[in-house]
Each structure stands twice: as structure tokens, then as C-alpha cells.
Amino acid sequence: MRIEHGGALDRAIERFGGTPGDWIDLSTGINPETFPLPPFKEETWNRLPDEKLLRSAIDGAREYYGAGHLAGIVPAPGTQSLIQLLPHILGAKGEVAILGPTYQEHGASFLDAGWRLSNCTNIDEVAPSAKVVIIVNPNNPDGRIIPKEPLLDLARRMAGRSGVLIVDEAFADAHPEVSIATHSGMSGLIVLRSFGKFFGLGGLRLGFALTTGEIAQVLSRRLGPWAVSGPALAIAAHAFSAKDDLANFSERLEARRKLLKLVLAQSGLVEVGGTALFSLVEFARAEQLQQALCTQHVLTRKFEYAPQWLRFGLPVDEIAAQRLQKRLVRALGVVGGC
């Protein structure tokens, strides 16, 4: 299975020229602002991460995500590592149902591990034969949201037949009302949370699994000791507890999303979905527009399975939004407008 990702700015530069500073990279759903980092003690870099540091990050995650005391919480070097591990720890291989269209790595990981894949577009279409169900909520790339109660009801049904519901909440930080992390610890439920997207720290490679104590123990053993670096744990512990910084950070994110919405509207592009971290637009000549934007040194995210879609990440500030507006107008002129 060929999977496209955002973030391949180096390949775009090789093909279309320029330097990183020339480009506006909107190809990912990562906040373009980095959360303020704490000062580091030298031993954070020099020593292996100890139990106290690990516990500090886990306790911070428990409070930040609202997980109860029964939840097992496992830090990992990015949610991608968890996505690739889960097919191997959930017992005998069977059928996995994925609510799509969505992030393709889940399906690829289960297929590679020998599972049978069934796709559905509605939660009511999940087959009773599915041993694992995967739902990204809010969804990537269209921002679809499944309400809490149907998710929790599905988790209970999965537990009743010794199955598991995996809810990937990579984009839930800015939509806390959507999250079911407060229910993590209940049987039949695994919640995945990405740290890098909302906090603008994708390069840190940090994610969390919130699940039952039993599954958490298995994941921890498979990840092995010191799976997450000391600096990553220290940054997470700091960010989870910095309530004033978090409030201001969220306000700036909201303003950034409004900027993007305004730019797209002024350009005549139609938003058909999105989250606080990206917008999905529908355009009949989306592939041509993506190429034209690349010639203007703007990188967006296209989808082979939905050639009419383009996903736009957030401009970092008003200056970047103005640059985007000008380049978008030029690109639309090349492909013939809307």
C-alpha cells in the first residue's frame, strides 16, 4: 500500500526549487507555532530518563487528558510507533474495521500484520465479525466527529465479544468536548493521543496510549525501556501543567484558523471539512491546483483516493496568511479559478 504524507518539503524543493524559507509549508496538520519550551538541566540530556521523570510525564498526561486512576498510560516515541505495535498485541489476527476515509497508516499496519481489513463509512456499518474497530475522531482529513455515546456504546459491545475499539484522537486537543479519554481504562477501549500536533512539536515524536492496565503493560514491554527520550518527557510534563501558557496558546491557534478560513473564502475555495489545525477544501481541479501552488512555493496535501480534495494547514501569522493569499490567487489564475 502506497501512503502519501504531508511534510515532504525537501522533495518539493528538489522538484520546484527554492529554499525552506521561500516556502509556505501547509502540508501537515501540525501547529506552526511551537509551545514555549522549559529550561533544561544538563542531566536531562546526559542521563537516561529515570522513573521520576517518566512518572511526571504520565501524571501530567493523566490530568491533561482527564484520564481516571484506572487508566494505563503509555508514552511512546510518536503515535506512529503505537499504530505499528497494536496489530501485534491484540491477540489472534482477524478482521479489523476502519471508519473511512481516514488516515491510512492504521489500515497499512494491520494489513502488514496479516489482519483482514473491512472499510465502512458509518459506525452502524461495523460488522459483528470485526475483532478490532478503528475510528479517528476528529477525523483526518474531513474533520468528521462521532459523538461520545455511540463511541462508548461501541466500546462496550467490542468488550462484550473480547474485541477492542481504537479511537485515534490525534486532533482532539483543540476539541476537548469530542474526547473520550476520560473513559480510558474501560475494557474494550484504546485511546491514542498525539503530543506533537497541537503543541507544534512534531519533530519531538511523542504520543500516548490511554487504555486498560493490562494492555498498557503489554505495550510498555514491547516498547522496551527508555522508549521516550528524557527531553521529550520533560517537555511534556512542563506543557501539560502550564495552564496559563496553554490558554494563550489555544487562543493564538484559534486566531490562526480564522486567518486560514478568511484566506480560503476570499479566494473562492469551498471548505468541506477540517479541524482547528487544518482545512479540507473541495476543488474540481485539485491536483492541478496543488501543482500550481508548488510552483508558487506553497505545499499542501493531496489525496489519491479523493482527487477533488486539498488539505491546507495553518499559516503561522498574518504575514504568512497574506503571502498565502497572493500565491493562491496566482495559482488559481493558472488553473482557471473556481
PDB file of all heavy atoms in Angstrom, residues 35 71 74 77 119 124 170-171 174 177 199 204 218 226 233 251-252 281 297 299 317:
ATOM      1  N   PHE A  35       5.138  25.293  21.138  1.00  0.00           N
ATOM      2  CA  PHE A  35       4.829  25.633  22.516  1.00  0.00           C
ATOM      3  C   PHE A  35       6.106  26.038  23.249  1.00  0.00           C
ATOM      4  O   PHE A  35       7.170  25.448  23.028  1.00  0.00           O
ATOM      5  CB  PHE A  35       4.192  24.436  23.227  1.00  0.00           C
ATOM      6  CG  PHE A  35       3.551  24.767  24.538  1.00  0.00           C
ATOM      7  CD1 PHE A  35       2.306  25.364  24.582  1.00  0.00           C
ATOM      8  CD2 PHE A  35       4.196  24.490  25.735  1.00  0.00           C
ATOM      9  CE1 PHE A  35       1.702  25.675  25.789  1.00  0.00           C
ATOM     10  CE2 PHE A  35       3.614  24.804  26.946  1.00  0.00           C
ATOM     11  CZ  PHE A  35       2.357  25.405  26.971  1.00  0.00           C
ATOM     12  N   ALA A  71      -6.901   4.090  34.397  1.00  0.00           N
ATOM     13  CA  ALA A  71      -6.327   4.072  33.048  1.00  0.00           C
ATOM     14  C   ALA A  71      -4.844   3.771  33.090  1.00  0.00           C
ATOM     15  O   ALA A  71      -4.107   4.313  33.919  1.00  0.00           O
ATOM     16  CB  ALA A  71      -6.573   5.404  32.351  1.00  0.00           C
ATOM     17  N   VAL A  74       0.653   4.980  28.466  1.00  0.00           N
ATOM     18  CA  VAL A  74       1.955   4.575  27.938  1.00  0.00           C
ATOM     19  C   VAL A  74       2.483   5.662  27.005  1.00  0.00           C
ATOM     20  O   VAL A  74       1.922   5.901  25.938  1.00  0.00           O
ATOM     21  CB  VAL A  74       1.847   3.249  27.164  1.00  0.00           C
ATOM     22  CG1 VAL A  74       3.232   2.814  26.657  1.00  0.00           C
ATOM     23  CG2 VAL A  74       1.233   2.166  28.028  1.00  0.00           C
ATOM     24  N   PRO A  77       7.378   6.828  21.412  1.00  0.00           N
ATOM     25  CA  PRO A  77       8.066   7.744  20.503  1.00  0.00           C
ATOM     26  C   PRO A  77       7.219   8.043  19.262  1.00  0.00           C
ATOM     27  O   PRO A  77       7.527   7.624  18.147  1.00  0.00           O
ATOM     28  CB  PRO A  77       9.355   6.994  20.149  1.00  0.00           C
ATOM     29  CG  PRO A  77       8.996   5.554  20.283  1.00  0.00           C
ATOM     30  CD  PRO A  77       8.000   5.488  21.404  1.00  0.00           C
ATOM     31  N   ASN A 119     -13.664  -1.873   5.343  1.00  0.00           N
ATOM     32  CA  ASN A 119     -13.876  -0.429   5.434  1.00  0.00           C
ATOM     33  C   ASN A 119     -15.356  -0.130   5.564  1.00  0.00           C
ATOM     34  O   ASN A 119     -16.201  -0.792   4.939  1.00  0.00           O
ATOM     35  CB  ASN A 119     -13.318   0.273   4.186  1.00  0.00           C
ATOM     36  CG  ASN A 119     -11.812   0.207   4.129  1.00  0.00           C
ATOM     37  OD1 ASN A 119     -11.127   0.741   4.989  1.00  0.00           O
ATOM     38  ND2 ASN A 119     -11.270  -0.452   3.110  1.00  0.00           N
ATOM     39  N   ASP A 124     -22.591   2.536  12.190  1.00  0.00           N
ATOM     40  CA  ASP A 124     -23.599   1.477  12.196  1.00  0.00           C
ATOM     41  C   ASP A 124     -23.269   0.351  11.224  1.00  0.00           C
ATOM     42  O   ASP A 124     -23.911  -0.703  11.258  1.00  0.00           O
ATOM     43  CB  ASP A 124     -24.977   2.049  11.848  1.00  0.00           C
ATOM     44  CG  ASP A 124     -25.469   3.053  12.886  1.00  0.00           C
ATOM     45  OD1 ASP A 124     -25.146   2.856  14.078  1.00  0.00           O
ATOM     46  OD2 ASP A 124     -26.155   4.024  12.504  1.00  0.00           O
ATOM     47  N   ALA A 170      -5.789  12.172  17.615  1.00  0.00           N
ATOM     48  CA  ALA A 170      -4.613  12.991  17.318  1.00  0.00           C
ATOM     49  C   ALA A 170      -4.940  14.475  17.225  1.00  0.00           C
ATOM     50  O   ALA A 170      -4.091  15.325  17.522  1.00  0.00           O
ATOM     51  CB  ALA A 170      -3.952  12.516  16.019  1.00  0.00           C
ATOM     52  N   PHE A 171      -6.173  14.807  16.825  1.00  0.00           N
ATOM     53  CA  PHE A 171      -6.554  16.212  16.642  1.00  0.00           C
ATOM     54  C   PHE A 171      -7.579  16.681  17.678  1.00  0.00           C
ATOM     55  O   PHE A 171      -8.282  17.663  17.460  1.00  0.00           O
ATOM     56  CB  PHE A 171      -7.100  16.419  15.226  1.00  0.00           C
ATOM     57  CG  PHE A 171      -6.062  16.233  14.154  1.00  0.00           C
ATOM     58  CD1 PHE A 171      -5.961  15.029  13.476  1.00  0.00           C
ATOM     59  CD2 PHE A 171      -5.164  17.246  13.855  1.00  0.00           C
ATOM     60  CE1 PHE A 171      -4.987  14.844  12.506  1.00  0.00           C
ATOM     61  CE2 PHE A 171      -4.187  17.073  12.890  1.00  0.00           C
ATOM     62  CZ  PHE A 171      -4.101  15.867  12.216  1.00  0.00           C
ATOM     63  N   ALA A 174      -7.594  20.487  20.558  1.00  0.00           N
ATOM     64  CA  ALA A 174      -8.340  21.736  20.367  1.00  0.00           C
ATOM     65  C   ALA A 174      -9.844  21.510  20.348  1.00  0.00           C
ATOM     66  O   ALA A 174     -10.617  22.465  20.204  1.00  0.00           O
ATOM     67  CB  ALA A 174      -7.898  22.414  19.069  1.00  0.00           C
ATOM     68  N   GLU A 177     -14.208  18.673  23.834  1.00  0.00           N
ATOM     69  CA  GLU A 177     -15.570  18.174  24.013  1.00  0.00           C
ATOM     70  C   GLU A 177     -15.805  16.862  23.259  1.00  0.00           C
ATOM     71  O   GLU A 177     -16.768  16.130  23.538  1.00  0.00           O
ATOM     72  CB  GLU A 177     -16.574  19.233  23.551  1.00  0.00           C
ATOM     73  CG  GLU A 177     -16.671  19.458  22.049  1.00  0.00           C
ATOM     74  CD  GLU A 177     -15.516  20.257  21.451  1.00  0.00           C
ATOM     75  OE1 GLU A 177     -14.649  20.737  22.212  1.00  0.00           O
ATOM     76  OE2 GLU A 177     -15.484  20.427  20.218  1.00  0.00           O
ATOM     77  N   PHE A 199       0.787  20.897  20.042  1.00  0.00           N
ATOM     78  CA  PHE A 199       1.862  21.661  20.669  1.00  0.00           C
ATOM     79  C   PHE A 199       2.928  22.128  19.677  1.00  0.00           C
ATOM     80  O   PHE A 199       3.904  22.767  20.076  1.00  0.00           O
ATOM     81  CB  PHE A 199       2.511  20.842  21.785  1.00  0.00           C
ATOM     82  CG  PHE A 199       1.634  20.680  23.006  1.00  0.00           C
ATOM     83  CD1 PHE A 199       0.891  19.530  23.201  1.00  0.00           C
ATOM     84  CD2 PHE A 199       1.532  21.692  23.947  1.00  0.00           C
ATOM     85  CE1 PHE A 199       0.080  19.378  24.317  1.00  0.00           C
ATOM     86  CE2 PHE A 199       0.722  21.556  25.065  1.00  0.00           C
ATOM     87  CZ  PHE A 199      -0.005  20.391  25.252  1.00  0.00           C
ATOM     88  N   LEU A 204       9.424  16.152  17.855  1.00  0.00           N
ATOM     89  CA  LEU A 204       9.722  15.542  19.147  1.00  0.00           C
ATOM     90  C   LEU A 204       9.409  14.051  19.146  1.00  0.00           C
ATOM     91  O   LEU A 204      10.031  13.292  19.889  1.00  0.00           O
ATOM     92  CB  LEU A 204       8.905  16.242  20.240  1.00  0.00           C
ATOM     93  CG  LEU A 204       9.322  16.033  21.688  1.00  0.00           C
ATOM     94  CD1 LEU A 204      10.682  16.666  21.943  1.00  0.00           C
ATOM     95  CD2 LEU A 204       8.282  16.639  22.633  1.00  0.00           C
ATOM     96  N   VAL A 218       1.417  -4.575  28.380  1.00  0.00           N
ATOM     97  CA  VAL A 218       1.915  -5.251  27.177  1.00  0.00           C
ATOM     98  C   VAL A 218       2.619  -4.254  26.263  1.00  0.00           C
ATOM     99  O   VAL A 218       3.705  -4.524  25.740  1.00  0.00           O
ATOM    100  CB  VAL A 218       0.765  -5.958  26.435  1.00  0.00           C
ATOM    101  CG1 VAL A 218       1.265  -6.571  25.129  1.00  0.00           C
ATOM    102  CG2 VAL A 218       0.140  -7.027  27.317  1.00  0.00           C
ATOM    103  N   TRP A 226      13.260   2.977  28.308  1.00  0.00           N
ATOM    104  CA  TRP A 226      13.706   4.259  27.754  1.00  0.00           C
ATOM    105  C   TRP A 226      13.175   4.494  26.332  1.00  0.00           C
ATOM    106  O   TRP A 226      13.880   4.991  25.457  1.00  0.00           O
ATOM    107  CB  TRP A 226      15.239   4.349  27.764  1.00  0.00           C
ATOM    108  CG  TRP A 226      15.844   3.920  29.046  1.00  0.00           C
ATOM    109  CD1 TRP A 226      15.623   4.446  30.296  1.00  0.00           C
ATOM    110  CD2 TRP A 226      16.750   2.832  29.241  1.00  0.00           C
ATOM    111  NE1 TRP A 226      16.341   3.774  31.239  1.00  0.00           N
ATOM    112  CE2 TRP A 226      17.051   2.772  30.631  1.00  0.00           C
ATOM    113  CE3 TRP A 226      17.357   1.906  28.383  1.00  0.00           C
ATOM    114  CZ2 TRP A 226      17.908   1.812  31.158  1.00  0.00           C
ATOM    115  CZ3 TRP A 226      18.197   0.950  28.917  1.00  0.00           C
ATOM    116  CH2 TRP A 226      18.473   0.913  30.289  1.00  0.00           C
ATOM    117  N   LEU A 233      10.056  13.736  27.566  1.00  0.00           N
ATOM    118  CA  LEU A 233       9.259  13.591  28.782  1.00  0.00           C
ATOM    119  C   LEU A 233       9.215  14.889  29.578  1.00  0.00           C
ATOM    120  O   LEU A 233       8.163  15.272  30.109  1.00  0.00           O
ATOM    121  CB  LEU A 233       9.835  12.468  29.653  1.00  0.00           C
ATOM    122  CG  LEU A 233       9.758  11.054  29.075  1.00  0.00           C
ATOM    123  CD1 LEU A 233      10.529  10.081  29.962  1.00  0.00           C
ATOM    124  CD2 LEU A 233       8.311  10.592  28.920  1.00  0.00           C
ATOM    125  N   GLU A 251      -5.690  30.277  22.231  1.00  0.00           N
ATOM    126  CA  GLU A 251      -6.275  31.476  21.620  1.00  0.00           C
ATOM    127  C   GLU A 251      -5.562  31.841  20.325  1.00  0.00           C
ATOM    128  O   GLU A 251      -6.200  32.214  19.327  1.00  0.00           O
ATOM    129  CB  GLU A 251      -6.206  32.649  22.598  1.00  0.00           C
ATOM    130  CG  GLU A 251      -7.162  32.539  23.772  1.00  0.00           C
ATOM    131  CD  GLU A 251      -7.017  33.692  24.743  1.00  0.00           C
ATOM    132  OE1 GLU A 251      -6.239  34.620  24.453  1.00  0.00           O
ATOM    133  OE2 GLU A 251      -7.681  33.657  25.802  1.00  0.00           O
ATOM    134  N   ARG A 252      -4.236  31.724  20.319  1.00  0.00           N
ATOM    135  CA  ARG A 252      -3.476  32.038  19.098  1.00  0.00           C
ATOM    136  C   ARG A 252      -3.778  31.016  18.001  1.00  0.00           C
ATOM    137  O   ARG A 252      -3.844  31.367  16.818  1.00  0.00           O
ATOM    138  CB  ARG A 252      -1.984  32.085  19.400  1.00  0.00           C
ATOM    139  CG  ARG A 252      -1.579  33.259  20.288  1.00  0.00           C
ATOM    140  CD  ARG A 252      -0.087  33.488  20.300  1.00  0.00           C
ATOM    141  NE  ARG A 252       0.653  32.382  20.888  1.00  0.00           N
ATOM    142  CZ  ARG A 252       0.879  32.239  22.187  1.00  0.00           C
ATOM    143  NH1 ARG A 252       0.380  33.117  23.061  1.00  0.00           N
ATOM    144  NH2 ARG A 252       1.583  31.212  22.644  1.00  0.00           N
ATOM    145  N   VAL A 281     -10.570  21.417   1.553  1.00  0.00           N
ATOM    146  CA  VAL A 281     -11.348  22.092   0.520  1.00  0.00           C
ATOM    147  C   VAL A 281     -11.615  21.125  -0.623  1.00  0.00           C
ATOM    148  O   VAL A 281     -10.850  20.190  -0.870  1.00  0.00           O
ATOM    149  CB  VAL A 281     -10.627  23.357  -0.016  1.00  0.00           C
ATOM    150  CG1 VAL A 281     -10.290  24.308   1.118  1.00  0.00           C
ATOM    151  CG2 VAL A 281      -9.381  22.992  -0.800  1.00  0.00           C
ATOM    152  N   HIS A 297       5.601  27.910  -4.515  1.00  0.00           N
ATOM    153  CA  HIS A 297       6.267  27.530  -3.256  1.00  0.00           C
ATOM    154  C   HIS A 297       5.303  27.502  -2.068  1.00  0.00           C
ATOM    155  O   HIS A 297       5.606  27.999  -0.987  1.00  0.00           O
ATOM    156  CB  HIS A 297       7.470  28.436  -2.984  1.00  0.00           C
ATOM    157  CG  HIS A 297       8.578  28.264  -3.973  1.00  0.00           C
ATOM    158  ND1 HIS A 297       9.679  29.111  -4.045  1.00  0.00           N
ATOM    159  CD2 HIS A 297       8.763  27.335  -4.954  1.00  0.00           C
ATOM    160  CE1 HIS A 297      10.478  28.721  -5.021  1.00  0.00           C
ATOM    161  NE2 HIS A 297       9.947  27.639  -5.582  1.00  0.00           N
ATOM    162  N   LEU A 299       3.120  24.409  -0.213  1.00  0.00           N
ATOM    163  CA  LEU A 299       2.947  22.960  -0.180  1.00  0.00           C
ATOM    164  C   LEU A 299       1.669  22.618   0.572  1.00  0.00           C
ATOM    165  O   LEU A 299       1.496  22.997   1.732  1.00  0.00           O
ATOM    166  CB  LEU A 299       4.149  22.296   0.502  1.00  0.00           C
ATOM    167  CG  LEU A 299       4.219  20.766   0.429  1.00  0.00           C
ATOM    168  CD1 LEU A 299       4.232  20.290  -1.019  1.00  0.00           C
ATOM    169  CD2 LEU A 299       5.445  20.257   1.174  1.00  0.00           C
ATOM    170  N   ASP A 317       1.068  33.276  10.869  1.00  0.00           N
ATOM    171  CA  ASP A 317       0.664  34.603  11.321  1.00  0.00           C
ATOM    172  C   ASP A 317       0.031  35.358  10.153  1.00  0.00           C
ATOM    173  O   ASP A 317      -0.159  34.805   9.051  1.00  0.00           O
ATOM    174  CB  ASP A 317       1.860  35.383  11.893  1.00  0.00           C
ATOM    175  CG  ASP A 317       3.044  35.455  10.930  1.00  0.00           C
ATOM    176  OD1 ASP A 317       2.836  35.372   9.696  1.00  0.00           O
ATOM    177  OD2 ASP A 317       4.193  35.595  11.397  1.00  0.00           O
TER     178      ASP A 317
END
